[in-house]
Coordinates of all heavy atoms in Angstrom, one line a residue:
S10 N 76.7 25.8 47.0 CA 75.6 26.1 47.9 C 75.4 27.6 48.1 O 74.3 28.1 48.1 CB 75.8 25.3 49.2 OG 75.8 23.9 49.0
M14 N 72.3 30.0 46.9 CA 71.5 30.9 47.8 C 71.4 32.3 47.2 O 70.4 33.0 47.3 CB 72.3 31.0 49.2 CG 72.2 29.7 50.0 SD 70.5 29.2 50.4 CE 70.0 30.6 51.5
I36 N 54.9 43.7 28.1 CA 54.8 42.3 27.8 C 55.9 41.5 28.5 O 55.9 40.3 28.4 CB 54.9 42.0 26.3 CG1 56.2 42.5 25.7 CG2 53.7 42.7 25.6 CD1 56.4 42.1 24.2
L37 N 56.8 42.2 29.3 CA 57.8 41.5 30.0 C 57.3 40.9 31.3 O 58.0 40.1 32.0 CB 59.0 42.4 30.3 CG 60.0 42.6 29.1 CD1 61.1 43.6 29.6 CD2 60.6 41.3 28.7
L41 N 59.0 37.6 32.9 CA 59.9 37.8 34.0 C 59.4 37.1 35.3 O 60.2 36.5 36.0 CB 59.9 39.3 34.3 CG 61.1 39.8 35.2 CD1 62.4 39.5 34.6 CD2 60.9 41.3 35.4
L42 N 58.1 37.0 35.5 CA 57.6 36.3 36.6 C 57.9 34.8 36.4 O 58.3 34.1 37.4 CB 56.1 36.5 36.7 CG 55.3 35.7 37.8 CD1 55.8 36.0 39.2 CD2 53.8 35.9 37.7
M51 N 64.7 25.9 40.4 CA 66.0 25.2 40.0 C 67.0 25.4 41.1 O 67.7 24.4 41.4 CB 66.5 25.9 38.8 CG 65.9 25.4 37.5 SD 66.8 26.2 36.1 CE 68.5 25.6 36.4
L69 N 70.9 17.0 35.9 CA 69.7 17.6 35.3 C 69.7 19.2 35.5 O 69.4 19.9 34.6 CB 68.5 17.0 36.0 CG 67.2 17.5 35.4 CD1 67.0 17.2 33.9 CD2 66.0 16.8 36.2
S85 N 68.9 38.6 25.2 CA 69.7 39.8 25.3 C 70.0 40.4 23.9 O 69.8 41.6 23.7 CB 71.0 39.6 26.1 OG 70.7 39.2 27.4
Y113 N 59.8 53.3 15.3 CA 60.1 52.1 16.2 C 60.1 50.8 15.4 O 59.6 50.7 14.3 CB 59.1 52.1 17.4 CG 59.3 53.3 18.3 CD1 58.7 54.5 18.0 CD2 60.1 53.1 19.4 CE1 58.9 55.6 18.9 CE2 60.3 54.2 20.2 CZ 59.7 55.4 20.0 OH 60.0 56.5 20.8
G115 N 59.5 47.3 13.8 CA 58.4 46.6 13.2 C 57.9 45.5 14.2 O 56.6 45.3 14.3
K118 N 55.9 47.1 17.0 CA 54.6 47.6 16.5 C 53.6 46.4 16.2 O 52.4 46.5 16.5 CB 54.8 48.4 15.2 CG 55.4 49.7 15.5 CD 55.5 50.6 14.2 CE 56.5 50.1 13.2 NZ 56.6 51.0 12.0
K129 N 43.2 46.7 25.0 CA 43.4 46.5 26.4 C 44.3 47.6 27.0 O 44.1 48.1 28.1 CB 44.1 45.1 26.7 CG 43.2 43.9 26.2 CD 43.9 42.6 26.5 CE 43.0 41.4 26.1 NZ 43.7 40.1 26.3
N151 N 36.8 67.9 18.7 CA 38.0 68.6 18.5 C 38.0 70.0 19.0 O 38.7 70.9 18.4 CB 38.4 68.5 17.0 CG 39.0 67.1 16.7 OD1 40.0 66.7 17.3 ND2 38.4 66.5 15.7
A160 N 35.0 79.3 28.1 CA 35.2 80.1 29.3 C 35.6 79.2 30.5 O 36.4 79.5 31.3 CB 33.9 80.9 29.6
G171 N 48.2 76.8 35.3 CA 49.1 77.9 35.1 C 49.3 78.5 33.7 O 50.2 79.3 33.5
R202 N 45.4 71.0 30.5 CA 46.3 69.9 30.1 C 45.7 69.0 29.1 O 46.4 68.4 28.3 CB 46.6 69.1 31.4 CG 47.6 69.8 32.3 CD 47.8 69.0 33.6 NE 48.7 69.7 34.5 CZ 50.0 69.5 34.7 NH1 50.5 68.6 33.9 NH2 50.7 70.1 35.5
A211 N 41.0 78.3 11.5 CA 41.9 77.3 11.1 C 41.2 76.0 10.8 O 40.1 75.8 11.2 CB 43.0 77.1 12.2
C219 N 45.9 64.2 14.4 CA 45.1 65.5 14.6 C 43.6 65.2 14.5 O 42.9 65.7 15.3 CB 45.5 66.5 13.6 SG 47.3 67.0 13.6
K237 N 50.7 55.3 20.9 CA 51.4 54.0 20.7 C 52.9 54.2 20.8 O 53.6 53.4 21.4 CB 50.9 53.4 19.4 CG 49.5 53.0 19.4 CD 49.1 52.3 18.1 CE 47.7 51.9 18.0 NZ 47.3 51.2 16.8
D242 N 58.1 53.8 23.5 CA 59.3 54.4 24.0 C 59.5 54.1 25.5 O 60.7 53.8 25.9 CB 59.3 55.9 23.8 CG 60.6 56.6 24.1 OD1 61.5 56.5 23.2 OD2 60.8 57.1 25.2
C257 N 73.9 40.9 33.7 CA 74.6 40.7 35.0 C 74.2 39.3 35.5 O 75.1 38.5 36.0 CB 74.3 41.7 36.0 SG 74.8 43.4 35.6
T276 N 80.8 15.3 43.6 CA 79.7 14.4 44.1 C 79.9 13.0 43.6 O 79.7 12.0 44.3 CB 78.3 15.0 43.7 OG1 78.2 16.3 44.3 CG2 77.2 14.1 44.2
H282 N 83.7 6.6 45.9 CA 84.5 6.2 47.1 C 83.7 5.5 48.2 O 84.2 4.7 48.9 CB 85.3 7.4 47.6 CG 86.4 7.8 46.7 ND1 87.4 7.0 46.3 CD2 86.7 9.0 46.2 CE1 88.3 7.6 45.5 NE2 87.9 8.9 45.4

Side-chain angles (χ1 to χ4, degrees):
S10 298
M14 291 299 294
I36 62 175
L37 280 180
L41 194 61
L42 176 62
M51 281 185 58
L69 180 62
S85 298
Y113 292 86
K118 289 187 288 186
K129 297 179 181 179
N151 282 305
R202 288 175 183 263
C219 301
K237 294 181 178 180
D242 191 79
C257 295
T276 299
H282 290 302

